Amino acid sequence: MQTSPVPATTAETTEVSPDDAIRSVVTRLARPHRSGGAVIERAAILAEGASSAAVLRWIVAHHGEPEAQAAPTPARGLHGDRSTATDRPPSRYVLPPGALAS
């Protein structure tokens, strides 16, 4: 009795596309947002290291937007006029509903 050989895996079946790899990172970092979509903290994206730029590009390509920042408070004190809300990058990015679906 001869056993059939185990089919060899090919590169096509085990290879993950770059889009799928970034989607899995975004899915891992995201949490539900009150809009029904997902939200990701900028700090979590930057903690991904070298892939953080690719993650930000993926978010923009999938209609993600920076979350609106709170209105700046009046500047007071010795260093009050140095930092304003417009000087800072957004702290969170919001993805629309369904953006994480395959």
Side-chain angles (χ1 to χ4, degrees), residues 21-68:
I22 294 173
R23 182 185 312 274
S24 69
V25 170
V26 170
T27 302
R28 179 173 46 85
L29 298 177
R31 64 179 198 264
H33 189 258
R34 66 180 173 263
S35 68
V39 64
I40 304 173
E41 300 289 331
R42 182 174 181 269
I45 295 169
L46 294 178
E48 286 299 310
S51 64
S52 62
V55 170
L56 287 172
R57 284 192 302 272
W58 189 95
I59 290 170
V60 170
H62 290 83
H63 308 290
E65 296 182 358
E67 186 175 56

Side-chain angles (χ1 to χ4, degrees), residues 9-10 19 38 40 42 53 55 73 76-77 79 85 88 93:
T9 58
T10 62
D19 187 64
I40 304 173
R42 182 174 181 269
V55 170
T73 57
R76 294 188 179 147
H79 302 286
R88 296 180 303 183
Y93 293 88

